[in-house]
Amino acid sequence: MQNPNDDTEWNDVLRAKGIIPPKEKEVTEDDLVNMLEQTIKEKQATGDGKHITDMNLDELDELEDSEDEGILLEYRQKRIAEMKALADRSKFGSVLEISAQDYVQEINKAGEGIWVVLHLYKQGIPLCALINQFMHNLAAKFRTVKFVKSISTTCIPNYPDKNLPTIFIYFEGEMKKQLVGPVELRGPNMTQDEFEYMIGKAGAVPTDLTEDPRVAVKDKLFSDLKDLNNDW
């Protein structure tokens, strides 16, 4: 008996008339890859809507009882690697005070994948003191970023006070951004969010602030003034 899956003209006629069923599709390597990708997508969210890649190791252990072991094992290993990489990079957390002798080692040789935010300051300048406080807060918040400060003339002899405060931003030892003087650093009314936004815009910190907070402040001030005029 002729195989109905054979590629013959006669079989084509019989399939067209519905006498024999359509030819079974051969499963290719691409089909298998697509099936695996689809399976992974279907398993990427748990019943409560939590994405599998956001789960901790204990949650993955609980899920393994009811899900495909091979796929979950792959995600578990990936999650462990991500957590280890983050732990290796989360080694800062405070503001380091340096001198000129430390500059090359602590900044130019900070390491692969490391952002460094350097603040040149002097005692007695209010905006410098404000930024030092902001640096302290952000160092605790973004522990993978190296926050460094140095008295300006200790780090760079004869550095002019008119340029203070100064922020230098480095990545892997290469300068990416500089903010020099009180005008660029928005003066004594600059907020913590504004400072975070500015260094985040340079790429130094993974901030959630995607819009300039100062714009929002100006808009609110304009709105308040407009309301006040309407009251009059």
Side-chain angles (χ1 to χ4, degrees):
M1 181 176 178
Q2 186 171 353
N3 188 338
N5 285 321
D6 287 345
D7 282 325
T8 65
E9 293 183 5
W10 177 242
N11 278 349
D12 289 340
V13 172
L14 295 179
R15 290 189 195 103
K17 295 182 177 297
I19 298 174
I20 63 174
K23 181 183 177 182
E24 294 180 2
K25 184 179 184 296
E26 182 180 352
V27 179
T28 65
E29 184 177 348
D30 288 339
D31 292 330
L32 291 174
V33 171
N34 291 334
M35 289 167 62
L36 177 59
E37 289 179 348
Q38 183 61 33
T39 302
I40 291 173
K41 288 178 182 178
E42 291 172 356
K43 295 179 183 294
Q44 279 181 335
T46 65
D48 59 3
K50 190 170 186 180
H51 196 279
I52 192 172
T53 54
D54 294 329
M55 299 174 73
N56 60 36
L57 299 183
D58 290 337
E59 290 170 327
L60 284 174
D61 283 338
E62 293 176 4
L63 195 60
E64 278 184 0
D65 294 335
S66 59
E67 297 290 348
D68 185 278
E69 184 177 354
I71 292 174
L72 282 173
L73 179 60
E74 179 182 348
Y75 272 111
R76 180 183 175 84
Q77 292 172 339
K78 180 180 178 182
R79 185 70 171 147
I80 290 173
E82 289 173 348
M83 292 169 66
K84 183 178 183 301
L86 180 61
D88 290 342
R89 289 168 47 231
S90 301
K91 57 187 177 182
F92 302 115
S94 61
V95 180
L96 176 68
E97 181 94 30
I98 67 167
S99 64
Q101 288 76 19
D102 306 317
Y103 199 98
V104 172
Q105 183 63 37
E106 299 295 342
I107 295 177
N108 298 114
K109 296 182 179 180
E112 183 179 353
I114 301 299
W115 286 91
V116 180
V117 179
L118 168 65
H119 177 209
L120 297 183
Y121 74 101
K122 259 192 178 178
Q123 300 288 351
I125 299 178
L127 185 53
C128 287
L130 182 67
I131 289 178
N132 275 338
Q133 182 59 48
F134 291 164
M135 294 269 288
H136 173 78
N137 295 338
L138 293 182
K141 182 177 180 181
F142 301 107
R143 299 178 66 87
T144 62
V145 179
K146 191 173 188 178
F147 287 86
V148 182
K149 66 179 180 179
S150 179
I151 295 174
S152 57
T153 49
T154 298
C155 189
I156 304 175
N158 302 317
Y159 193 77
D161 288 354
K162 68 178 182 179
N163 289 346
L164 300 179
T166 292
I167 297 291
F168 292 144
I169 297 175
Y170 291 81
F171 180 66
E172 296 183 343
E174 180 181 346
M175 185 180 290
K176 296 296 182 181
K177 180 74 175 179
Q178 51 184 327
L179 300 166
V180 180
V183 174
E184 283 197 40
L185 284 160
R186 303 189 173 186
N189 293 323
M190 180 178 60
T191 66
Q192 173 86 59
D193 282 350
E194 286 180 70
F195 184 66
E196 179 178 327
Y197 169 78
M198 286 191 289
I199 64 173
K201 189 177 180 181
V205 297
T207 179
D208 294 328
L209 299 171
T210 57
E211 296 184 2
D212 191 341
R214 170 170 278 196
V215 175
V217 171
K218 286 183 177 179
D219 288 345
K220 185 178 185 305
L221 179 61
F222 178 77
S223 177
D224 291 344
L225 290 173
K226 185 177 180 181
D227 291 342
L228 183 61
N229 289 332
N230 290 336
D231 291 340
W232 283 97

